[in-house]
Structure formats: C-alpha cells, structure tokens
Amino acid sequence: MNFAKAFACPVTRFGAAALLTATTSLAAQAFDITDMSDAEREAFRAEVRAFIMENPEVIMEEAYEVYQQRQAEAQVANDADLIAAYSEVIYNDENDAVYGNPDGDIVLVEFSDYRCGYCKKAYPDVQALLEKDGNIKLIVKEFPILGEASVLASRFAVATKLVAGNEAYLKLHDELMQARGDVSEGMLRRLANGLEIDADAVVAEMESDEVTAILALNHQLAQELQITGTPGFILGDQMLRGYVPYDGMVEIVAEVRANR
C-alpha cells in the first residue's frame, strides 16, 4: 500500500492523539507496520510533519495540558512530603486553638487572616462541616498577611488565648470572622468586653515576646509549606490553597477516610 496516498485527503483539526489513533488503526487494518518500505515510512513521516507544521496549536495545546497535569501531580506529591516532614509542628503546637471534636478522626488545619474576604466566606462552611460531621478537629493557625490591621487582630487573638484560654479565643475568633469594617484597638476592646474577656490584660500581652514568637513560627511554617495566601487548609495529606466550598470539603473528608 502507498501510505502517502492513504493520507492524501485534507487533514481536519485532529488532536495529536486522534491523529495517532487513526494512523495506528489504519496501519493495523492494512498491513503489518514492520513491512513498510523505506519510501512508505518516509512518506508517512512527511505527512505527519506537514500536519504539525500546518496545525502547531494542536501540539502546543495538548503538550501544555500534559505539562499542567504533570505539574499538578508533582505538586500533590510535594505537598504530601511537606506535610509529613512538618507534621509535628503542624498538628502538635500547643499554642494553636482547637475547634470541633478534639478526638476527631479527621484533623483540618486552617491558616487564616481576619481581614481576608475568602477566610470570612469559608468560615460558615467550615463551621457547618464541624457541626454536621461531628468527628473533625479543627486547628486554627493565625497567619496575618494583609497589613497592620491583620497583625493587630491576630496579636489580640493570640494574646486572648494566652490570657483567657481556648474557649475565650474561640468566641473572639467567631466574632472577628463575622465582623465587618476596620479593625482597631477600640473595636477589639469592645468585642472583648462584650464577651467578658479582660481587654486590659489582653492588650498588655499583645506585644509580648511570646505572641511575637507564635506568629513568627506560623509565618515560617507557612513559608516551608509553600502557603502564600489565605485561607490555606491542610486536610489529610493534601494542601488546599484558597477557598473550598462546603460540598468540596465534604468530598475531600470522605476521600481521606476512604483511603485509610
């Protein structure tokens, strides 16, 4: 068979994979490819080269898709390795606040900023997940990255935990995640007083070396984990960078449980 004639008809916008499939199928039906003559092989190569030269975008698009897939797979593997390497500080830092079931079979870690719009958007979804599942432990890591007001709010929150304990922190955290408007010391004092938290004691602790060290450790950990924005979540051996809606969280939790 003359392979050049077989490909003489105009080639429409095949993908590279489709072209290869069609070629292989035709070759298999017509003859053993090992029986191709040098001339037929050369003609086939010429036709394929002509198609690529006339439709380079096909190759580029498909190559880019393959590249993106490989990058995504590499990122997933790298994230799992990072989580394993830093598991002690991720999961066992006594300075972190804890929501939900402290003995839950799933641990969700969140890096958050009180001025982050997507953190505020994620807040009710995360709370619903904790309530409806009932077997999830949430670890909150203060990660203020959106300016001085973010740092002020996080310092006040960390100081609250040091002065008044986890439950007081959680109440304040809830209020700050639902608050709108500017963050100021006056606003923080009003929130604390409304929650019967000693605002003077918290303010006195805000600039302490201990608060500074806690926030510095969270920033260093985020850098090591390649978390550059908020919210950032760790769930199982996965890192979720950015907002994930409630249904997505439910699916990932189910996947983590199923893969144990």
Side-chain angles (χ1 to χ4, degrees):
M1 175 183 178
N2 188 316
F3 219 68
K5 290 183 179 179
F7 270 81
C9 60
V11 180
T12 57
R13 185 183 167 80
F14 278 100
L19 175 62
L20 179 59
T21 300
T23 302
T24 304
S25 176
L26 180 59
Q29 294 173 17
F31 64 100
D32 186 340
I33 195 169
T34 59
D35 290 338
M36 288 178 66
S37 68
D38 290 343
E40 288 172 336
R41 189 175 294 110
E42 187 63 30
F44 169 66
R45 290 173 178 166
E47 289 293 334
V48 171
R49 184 177 185 280
F51 169 78
I52 293 173
M53 295 300 291
E54 293 173 6
N55 303 274
E57 69 279 3
V58 174
I59 303 302
M60 293 180 67
E61 288 172 4
E62 295 191 7
Y64 186 62
E65 288 176 3
V66 172
Y67 171 77
Q68 285 186 309
Q69 178 64 28
R70 289 179 180 174
Q71 288 292 98
E73 292 171 355
Q75 182 69 67
V76 169
N78 183 63
D79 286 349
D81 290 343
L82 288 173
I83 292 169
Y86 292 96
S87 61
E88 182 64 26
V89 68
I90 290 172
Y91 298 114
N92 298 314
D93 185 346
E94 63 182 10
N95 294 306
D96 293 333
V98 175
Y99 269 97
N101 184 347
D103 299 316
D105 70 328
I106 295 291
V107 180
L108 174 64
V109 181
E110 179 180 4
F111 289 76
S112 63
D113 183 312
Y114 293 115
R115 295 187 64 237
C116 166
Y118 282 104
C119 294
K120 292 180 180 294
K121 184 176 181 179
Y123 170 79
D125 291 339
V126 172
Q127 294 301 311
L129 180 69
L130 298 180
E131 181 179 348
K132 294 180 181 180
D133 186 286
N135 204 21
I136 296 176
K137 174 183 178 180
L138 170 66
I139 296 174
V140 178
K141 292 187 180 289
E142 296 283 338
F143 186 41
I145 57 174
L146 297 176
E148 293 181 5
S150 292
V151 175
L152 179 67
S154 282
R155 280 189 172 276
F156 195 90
V158 172
T160 295
K161 184 174 185 300
L162 293 176
V163 169
N166 192 75
E167 290 305 314
Y169 170 92
L170 297 184
K171 292 177 182 178
L172 180 69
H173 182 83
D174 289 343
E175 293 294 329
L176 285 172
M177 276 300 174
Q178 298 174 83
R180 296 293 182 265
D182 295 334
V183 175
S184 66
E185 183 178 319
M187 172 264 206
L188 294 170
R189 281 181 174 274
R190 287 192 295 274
L191 284 181
N193 290 332
L195 298 171
E196 300 183 345
I197 297 170
D198 187 342
D200 289 337
V202 173
V203 170
E205 182 68 23
M206 281 176 63
E207 298 299 329
S208 69
D209 291 343
E210 189 171 3
V211 170
T212 298
I214 290 169
L215 293 179
L217 178 61
N218 287 350
H219 276 271
Q220 181 180 356
L221 178 60
Q223 182 176 4
E224 297 294 339
L225 296 176
Q226 300 171 11
I227 295 174
T228 58
T230 54
F233 296 97
I234 298 173
L235 185 51
D237 62 355
Q238 301 180 48
M239 272 190 264
L240 313 174
R241 296 174 175 85
Y243 168 69
V244 179
Y246 172 79
D247 289 343
M249 285 282 194
V250 170
E251 289 180 6
I252 297 171
V253 167
E255 178 185 321
V256 170
R257 285 193 173 117
N259 289 336
R260 286 179 170 171

